[in-house]
Short mmCIF file of all heavy atoms in Angstrom, two decimals:
data_model
loop_
_atom_site.label_atom_id
_atom_site.label_comp_id
_atom_site.label_asym_id
_atom_site.label_seq_id
_atom_site.Cartn_x
_atom_site.Cartn_y
_atom_site.Cartn_z
N GLU Q 673 -20.21 20.61 28.21
CA GLU Q 673 -20.33 21.99 28.67
C GLU Q 673 -20.99 22.89 27.64
O GLU Q 673 -21.66 23.87 28.02
CB GLU Q 673 -18.93 22.54 28.99
CG GLU Q 673 -18.26 21.86 30.18
CD GLU Q 673 -16.79 22.23 30.29
OE1 GLU Q 673 -16.33 23.08 29.50
OE2 GLU Q 673 -16.10 21.66 31.16
N LEU Q 674 -20.82 22.60 26.34
CA LEU Q 674 -21.30 23.50 25.30
C LEU Q 674 -22.31 22.79 24.39
O LEU Q 674 -21.94 21.90 23.64
CB LEU Q 674 -20.13 24.01 24.46
CG LEU Q 674 -19.07 24.82 25.22
CD1 LEU Q 674 -17.86 25.08 24.36
CD2 LEU Q 674 -19.67 26.15 25.71
N PRO Q 675 -23.57 23.19 24.43
CA PRO Q 675 -24.60 22.52 23.61
C PRO Q 675 -24.51 22.85 22.12
O PRO Q 675 -24.91 22.04 21.29
CB PRO Q 675 -25.91 23.04 24.21
CG PRO Q 675 -25.56 24.35 24.84
CD PRO Q 675 -24.16 24.21 25.33
N ASP Q 676 -23.96 24.01 21.76
CA ASP Q 676 -23.85 24.39 20.36
C ASP Q 676 -22.68 23.65 19.72
O ASP Q 676 -21.54 23.78 20.16
CB ASP Q 676 -23.64 25.91 20.24
CG ASP Q 676 -23.64 26.36 18.79
OD1 ASP Q 676 -22.60 26.22 18.13
OD2 ASP Q 676 -24.68 26.84 18.31
N PHE Q 677 -22.95 22.87 18.66
CA PHE Q 677 -21.93 21.99 18.09
C PHE Q 677 -20.76 22.78 17.51
O PHE Q 677 -19.60 22.43 17.74
CB PHE Q 677 -22.56 21.12 17.00
CG PHE Q 677 -21.59 20.16 16.36
CD1 PHE Q 677 -21.11 19.06 17.06
CD2 PHE Q 677 -21.13 20.36 15.07
CE1 PHE Q 677 -20.21 18.18 16.49
CE2 PHE Q 677 -20.23 19.48 14.49
CZ PHE Q 677 -19.78 18.39 15.20
N ASN Q 678 -21.02 23.85 16.75
CA ASN Q 678 -19.95 24.61 16.13
C ASN Q 678 -19.06 25.29 17.16
O ASN Q 678 -17.83 25.31 17.03
CB ASN Q 678 -20.55 25.66 15.18
CG ASN Q 678 -21.21 25.03 13.96
OD1 ASN Q 678 -20.76 23.99 13.47
ND2 ASN Q 678 -22.29 25.64 13.48
N VAL Q 679 -19.69 25.84 18.18
CA VAL Q 679 -18.91 26.46 19.27
C VAL Q 679 -18.08 25.40 19.97
O VAL Q 679 -16.92 25.60 20.34
CB VAL Q 679 -19.84 27.17 20.27
CG1 VAL Q 679 -19.05 27.68 21.48
CG2 VAL Q 679 -20.57 28.33 19.59
N CYS Q 680 -18.69 24.23 20.12
CA CYS Q 680 -18.01 23.12 20.78
C CYS Q 680 -16.77 22.69 20.00
O CYS Q 680 -15.71 22.43 20.58
CB CYS Q 680 -18.97 21.95 20.96
SG CYS Q 680 -18.26 20.54 21.80
N ILE Q 681 -16.91 22.64 18.67
CA ILE Q 681 -15.78 22.23 17.82
C ILE Q 681 -14.61 23.20 18.00
O ILE Q 681 -13.44 22.80 18.12
CB ILE Q 681 -16.19 22.17 16.34
CG1 ILE Q 681 -17.09 20.97 16.09
CG2 ILE Q 681 -14.97 22.11 15.44
CD1 ILE Q 681 -16.39 19.64 16.26
N GLU Q 682 -14.91 24.50 18.03
CA GLU Q 682 -13.86 25.50 18.21
C GLU Q 682 -13.14 25.29 19.54
O GLU Q 682 -11.91 25.38 19.63
CB GLU Q 682 -14.46 26.90 18.14
CG GLU Q 682 -14.99 27.28 16.77
CD GLU Q 682 -15.60 28.66 16.75
OE1 GLU Q 682 -15.54 29.35 17.80
OE2 GLU Q 682 -16.14 29.07 15.71
N GLN Q 683 -13.93 25.01 20.57
CA GLN Q 683 -13.35 24.80 21.89
C GLN Q 683 -12.54 23.49 21.95
O GLN Q 683 -11.51 23.43 22.60
CB GLN Q 683 -14.45 24.78 22.95
CG GLN Q 683 -15.02 26.14 23.29
CD GLN Q 683 -13.96 27.06 23.89
OE1 GLN Q 683 -13.24 26.68 24.80
NE2 GLN Q 683 -13.88 28.28 23.35
N VAL Q 684 -13.04 22.48 21.26
CA VAL Q 684 -12.34 21.19 21.24
C VAL Q 684 -10.97 21.36 20.59
O VAL Q 684 -9.95 20.84 21.10
CB VAL Q 684 -13.17 20.13 20.49
CG1 VAL Q 684 -12.30 18.93 20.14
CG2 VAL Q 684 -14.34 19.68 21.35
N ILE Q 685 -10.92 22.08 19.47
CA ILE Q 685 -9.64 22.31 18.79
C ILE Q 685 -8.70 23.09 19.68
O ILE Q 685 -7.51 22.78 19.80
CB ILE Q 685 -9.86 23.03 17.44
CG1 ILE Q 685 -10.63 22.11 16.48
CG2 ILE Q 685 -8.53 23.47 16.84
CD1 ILE Q 685 -11.02 22.78 15.18
N SER Q 686 -9.24 24.12 20.34
CA SER Q 686 -8.42 24.94 21.23
C SER Q 686 -7.92 24.11 22.41
O SER Q 686 -6.72 24.14 22.75
CB SER Q 686 -9.23 26.13 21.74
OG SER Q 686 -8.50 26.86 22.70
N ARG Q 687 -8.81 23.34 23.02
CA ARG Q 687 -8.42 22.51 24.16
C ARG Q 687 -7.47 21.41 23.73
O ARG Q 687 -6.53 21.07 24.45
CB ARG Q 687 -9.65 21.89 24.81
CG ARG Q 687 -10.49 22.87 25.61
CD ARG Q 687 -11.52 22.12 26.43
NE ARG Q 687 -12.38 23.02 27.19
CZ ARG Q 687 -13.20 22.63 28.15
NH1 ARG Q 687 -13.26 21.34 28.45
NH2 ARG Q 687 -13.93 23.48 28.81
N GLY Q 688 -7.74 20.85 22.55
CA GLY Q 688 -6.89 19.77 22.07
C GLY Q 688 -5.48 20.24 21.81
O GLY Q 688 -4.51 19.54 22.14
N GLN Q 689 -5.33 21.43 21.23
CA GLN Q 689 -4.00 21.97 20.99
C GLN Q 689 -3.30 22.27 22.30
O GLN Q 689 -2.09 22.03 22.44
CB GLN Q 689 -4.10 23.25 20.14
CG GLN Q 689 -2.75 23.80 19.71
CD GLN Q 689 -1.94 22.78 18.93
OE1 GLN Q 689 -2.39 22.26 17.91
NE2 GLN Q 689 -0.73 22.49 19.39
N ARG Q 690 -4.06 22.78 23.26
CA ARG Q 690 -3.48 23.06 24.57
C ARG Q 690 -3.03 21.76 25.25
O ARG Q 690 -1.98 21.69 25.87
CB ARG Q 690 -4.50 23.80 25.44
CG ARG Q 690 -3.92 24.33 26.74
CD ARG Q 690 -4.78 25.44 27.32
NE ARG Q 690 -6.10 25.00 27.67
CZ ARG Q 690 -7.22 25.38 27.04
NH1 ARG Q 690 -7.14 26.22 26.02
NH2 ARG Q 690 -8.40 24.95 27.43
N PHE Q 691 -3.85 20.73 25.11
CA PHE Q 691 -3.51 19.42 25.67
C PHE Q 691 -2.23 18.89 25.03
O PHE Q 691 -1.35 18.36 25.72
CB PHE Q 691 -4.66 18.44 25.42
CG PHE Q 691 -4.44 17.06 25.97
CD1 PHE Q 691 -4.76 16.76 27.27
CD2 PHE Q 691 -3.90 16.06 25.17
CE1 PHE Q 691 -4.55 15.49 27.78
CE2 PHE Q 691 -3.69 14.79 25.66
CZ PHE Q 691 -4.02 14.51 26.98
N SER Q 692 -2.10 19.06 23.71
CA SER Q 692 -0.90 18.62 23.01
C SER Q 692 0.32 19.39 23.48
O SER Q 692 1.38 18.81 23.72
CB SER Q 692 -1.09 18.81 21.50
OG SER Q 692 0.09 18.51 20.79
N ASP Q 693 0.17 20.71 23.65
CA ASP Q 693 1.28 21.53 24.11
C ASP Q 693 1.72 21.13 25.52
O ASP Q 693 2.92 21.09 25.83
CB ASP Q 693 0.89 23.01 24.09
CG ASP Q 693 0.68 23.54 22.69
OD1 ASP Q 693 1.16 22.90 21.73
OD2 ASP Q 693 0.01 24.57 22.54
N ILE Q 694 0.74 20.84 26.39
CA ILE Q 694 1.05 20.41 27.75
C ILE Q 694 1.81 19.09 27.73
O ILE Q 694 2.78 18.90 28.47
CB ILE Q 694 -0.24 20.27 28.58
CG1 ILE Q 694 -0.85 21.66 28.85
CG2 ILE Q 694 0.02 19.54 29.89
CD1 ILE Q 694 -2.22 21.60 29.48
N SER Q 695 1.39 18.19 26.85
CA SER Q 695 2.05 16.89 26.76
C SER Q 695 3.48 17.02 26.28
O SER Q 695 4.39 16.33 26.76
CB SER Q 695 1.26 15.96 25.82
OG SER Q 695 -0.05 15.76 26.30
N ILE Q 696 3.72 17.91 25.32
CA ILE Q 696 5.07 18.12 24.80
C ILE Q 696 5.99 18.69 25.88
O ILE Q 696 7.17 18.33 25.97
CB ILE Q 696 5.02 19.06 23.57
CG1 ILE Q 696 4.31 18.37 22.40
CG2 ILE Q 696 6.42 19.49 23.16
CD1 ILE Q 696 4.05 19.28 21.22
#
Side-chain angles (χ1 to χ4, degrees):
E673 294 168 5
L674 299 171
D676 185 279
F677 181 71
N678 292 326
V679 174
C680 182
I681 288 293
E682 293 178 4
Q683 285 297 312
V684 164
I685 294 174
S686 175
R687 287 191 182 192
Q689 186 58 56
R690 189 160 63 248
F691 181 86
S692 175
D693 293 341
I694 290 172
S695 299
I696 292 172

